[in-house]
Amino acid sequence: MIRIPTAAILLLGPLALVPAGAIAAQESAEVTFSRDIAPILQRSCQGCHRPNSMAPMSLLSYAEVRPWAPVIKERTAIRDRMGAMPPWFVEKDVGIQDFRNDVSLSDEDVAMIAAWVDAGAPEGNPADLPPALEFSAEEEWQIGTPDLIVDLPSFTMEANAPDWWGAIPPVPTGLGEDRYVAAMEVKEISDVEGALGGNFIFHHAILASTGPGGGGSSWPIHEVGRNAEFFDPRAGRLLPAGSQFMIPGVHMNSNDRTTTAHLRLGFKFHPVGYEPEHRISSLVFGNGEIDLRPMEKGQEVHLYLTLEENMRIETFEPHMHASGVRMCWEAIWGGRAETMSCSGYDHNWVKVYNYGEHAAPLLPRGTLVHVTAYFDTTPDNANVIDPRNWQGLGHRSIDNMAIVFLPGIPLDDAEFAAEVAARREALGLAPGEGALGCPLCAFAELPRSW
């Protein structure tokens, strides 16, 4: 018989009266790193937060994560505003929520992280850890191993130098045959250790190619923090043999060290013999009438465009400058206005949002696209260098822009009707039942004209 000293019973106190099953349930309910937090970090954070990646610290192990626990709670709770982590700013309470490249956290994830930190960030049982992710190497690409890599010329920025704008000359791709591009990705390659993690010098770069017979194409603009671009598989982009790539317009900014860097372009091709079903349309428009008063938040700039063709919009990409904090776009057709997306904006993380297969807006010609860009020129916006200054249109980050990129696929009437029918079937819509982003989806049969 084992005797328990009276003093020990007193120390155990109320715990001694709790049934063993209840204790087990309490332990099970405790949020731990090993069981609950590590899977979240693997899904949404470790792609960047690992050795030799773009983030300033690694978050692979409990030892690495524990010192950052309070910061992780703080930054994840910001959700869709400047400074949020992971840097995904689509608002979850309005508009379309299905995106192909979504790395955001759910409300449950955010609540779990907060509960874990508030409980002292316990490690839990290491046996509960999910298998560690395998990262191939420093040269890992989101698009997979590229079929073609093009290194653009290097540029040197002196430490703490003023911003620089200009052009970077062309280089040959070395491509010996015409190929269609399925995906592309851009990396900044720097001679500064730790250039990853905030020491970039390329703020953004307009990328263009020219073919051997003349003519040219524009490609997605490289912007700091931008993710890889996966084109619609039915609308691969042609890169002709003998093409050259150049940067006709680049914005460079300095860090605290003299830095030499260049952009490395990676391309993933469709198989030889691939032919696209559609062409992609680079729908881009903005408003140059920017008149931002100093020390004032909630300022708006509005953009309007009427679609001349039926369109399937593939991507939403807001572009503003340092004072930009939010952008929303809505589609107005037949007297009906629907908000497609709203996102916060952080000029340090210019993001591109690719709509899901059955969520990409299907907009008939005649649709009025209305975009609202929101600006904050007060000290609350940490990106604003001097909130006392008036701001207008300009290329510098201290100036401003209000531009939206909505690349998509133009569709003739038959193709548009087929897309609408496919959307109705995929979503299981009943007659008369519509869907966000598809104003004609309520029709089981489309009218003869629209």
Side-chain angles (χ1 to χ4, degrees):
M1 179 177 179
I2 299 174
R3 292 181 180 275
I4 301 176
T6 302
I9 294 175
L10 292 175
L11 286 173
L12 287 171
L15 183 62
L17 304 178
V18 177
I23 294 176
Q26 184 176 0
E27 290 176 347
S28 176
E30 181 183 47
V31 178
T32 70
F33 173 82
S34 299
R35 185 186 57 207
D36 306 299
I37 303 303
I40 296 174
L41 298 179
Q42 286 190 347
R43 185 179 69 245
S44 298
C45 308
Q46 292 181 1
C48 296
H49 285 278
R50 56 187 171 82
N52 299 319
S53 188
M54 63 192 301
M57 85 289 282
S58 175
L59 298 178
L60 298 184
S61 68
Y62 178 73
E64 292 173 336
V65 172
R66 179 61 185 87
W68 296 99
V71 178
I72 293 172
K73 175 188 173 184
E74 176 188 351
R75 299 293 289 274
T76 55
I78 297 174
R79 301 300 275 139
D80 52 32
R81 290 293 178 262
M82 188 181 299
M85 283 288 151
W88 178 272
F89 306 106
V90 172
E91 297 176 9
K92 289 184 174 294
D93 57 351
V94 63
I96 296 168
Q97 297 298 316
D98 181 7
F99 294 89
R100 284 179 279 141
N101 55 344
D102 190 350
V103 296
S104 66
L105 303 180
S106 67
D107 291 341
E108 291 74 19
D109 292 335
V110 174
M112 188 171 292
I113 290 171
W116 174 64
V117 176
D118 291 344
E123 180 179 12
N125 186 352
D128 292 336
L129 281 170
L133 298 182
E134 295 183 5
F135 301 103
S136 57
E138 181 178 344
E139 273 298 297
E140 183 184 8
W141 294 75
Q142 296 175 32
I143 61 173
T145 303
D147 298 309
L148 175 69
I149 292 176
V150 179
D151 285 313
L152 299 179
S154 295
F155 192 90
T156 298
M157 286 291 288
E158 298 295 328
N160 301 312
D163 289 7
W164 184 86
W165 294 264
I168 290 182
V171 296
T173 62
L175 190 64
E177 60 179 345
D178 293 355
R179 295 298 298 267
Y180 283 95
V181 177
M184 72 174 291
E185 185 176 350
V186 182
K187 292 176 178 287
E188 179 176 330
I189 308 299
S190 172
D191 67 348
V192 174
E193 183 179 356
L196 309 165
N199 288 315
F200 304 103
I201 62 172
F202 281 83
H203 181 272
H204 72 266
I206 298 171
L207 300 173
S209 64
T210 57
S217 298
S218 61
W219 296 80
I221 295 174
H222 168 68
E223 297 169 290
V224 62
R226 180 176 179 134
N227 33 352
E229 186 85 15
F230 294 86
F231 303 118
D232 188 299
R234 300 167 298 175
R237 300 192 55 166
L238 178 64
L239 185 61
S243 291
Q244 294 184 319
F245 265 96
M246 69 191 74
I247 304 178
V250 66
H251 174 187
M252 311 292 296
N253 52 23
S254 63
N255 54 47
D256 59 358
R257 285 168 280 186
T258 297
T259 302
T260 298
H262 71 274
L263 295 185
R264 175 168 291 169
L265 317 181
F267 297 91
K268 197 72 176 175
F269 292 144
H270 285 288
V272 174
Y274 163 90
E275 291 292 338
E277 301 174 31
H278 303 283
R279 64 178 172 87
I280 196 79
S281 174
S282 300
L283 185 63
V284 182
F285 61 103
N287 186 347
E289 296 181 356
I290 297 175
D291 178 13
L292 299 182
R293 297 168 295 281
M295 304 291 285
E296 183 174 326
K297 58 179 60 182
Q299 299 184 69
E300 300 180 6
V301 173
H302 296 265
L303 331 175
Y304 298 92
L305 179 79
T306 300
L307 299 182
E308 298 180 351
E309 301 176 281
N310 307 312
M311 290 284 295
R312 173 188 159 97
I313 303 296
E314 299 290 332
T315 298
F316 170 44
E317 180 184 350
H319 183 85
M320 295 176 277
H321 278 184
S323 296
V325 294
R326 184 180 186 232
M327 181 176 280
C328 295
W329 78 282
E330 63 176 354
I332 304 169
W333 184 85
R336 168 180 170 179
E338 288 185 324
T339 300
M340 300 291 101
S341 295
C342 285
S343 78
Y345 185 82
D346 186 339
H347 201 43
N348 294 315
W349 289 98
V350 181
K351 307 300 291 185
V352 53
Y353 307 104
N354 302 128
Y355 289 110
E357 171 64 23
H358 303 304
L362 285 172
L363 303 178
R365 63 177 175 275
T367 296
L368 177 63
V369 177
H370 172 214
V371 179
T372 306
Y374 298 84
F375 297 87
D376 178 353
T377 60
T378 72
D380 289 344
N381 182 348
N383 287 336
V384 175
I385 300 300
D386 189 342
R388 298 170 300 175
N389 290 334
W390 171 89
Q391 299 174 25
L393 176 69
H395 288 286
R396 302 175 301 172
S397 290
I398 57 174
D399 302 317
N400 264 286
M401 288 188 178
I403 298 174
V404 66
F405 295 79
L406 295 171
I409 298 175
L411 302 166
D412 63 29
D413 286 357
E415 292 169 337
F416 186 73
E419 287 280 347
V420 170
R423 180 68 55 87
R424 287 183 50 79
E425 180 177 0
L427 300 182
L429 299 179
E433 185 179 5
L436 179 61
C438 183
L440 290 179
C441 270
F443 294 91
E445 291 189 12
L446 295 189
R448 290 187 176 181
S449 63
W450 53 83

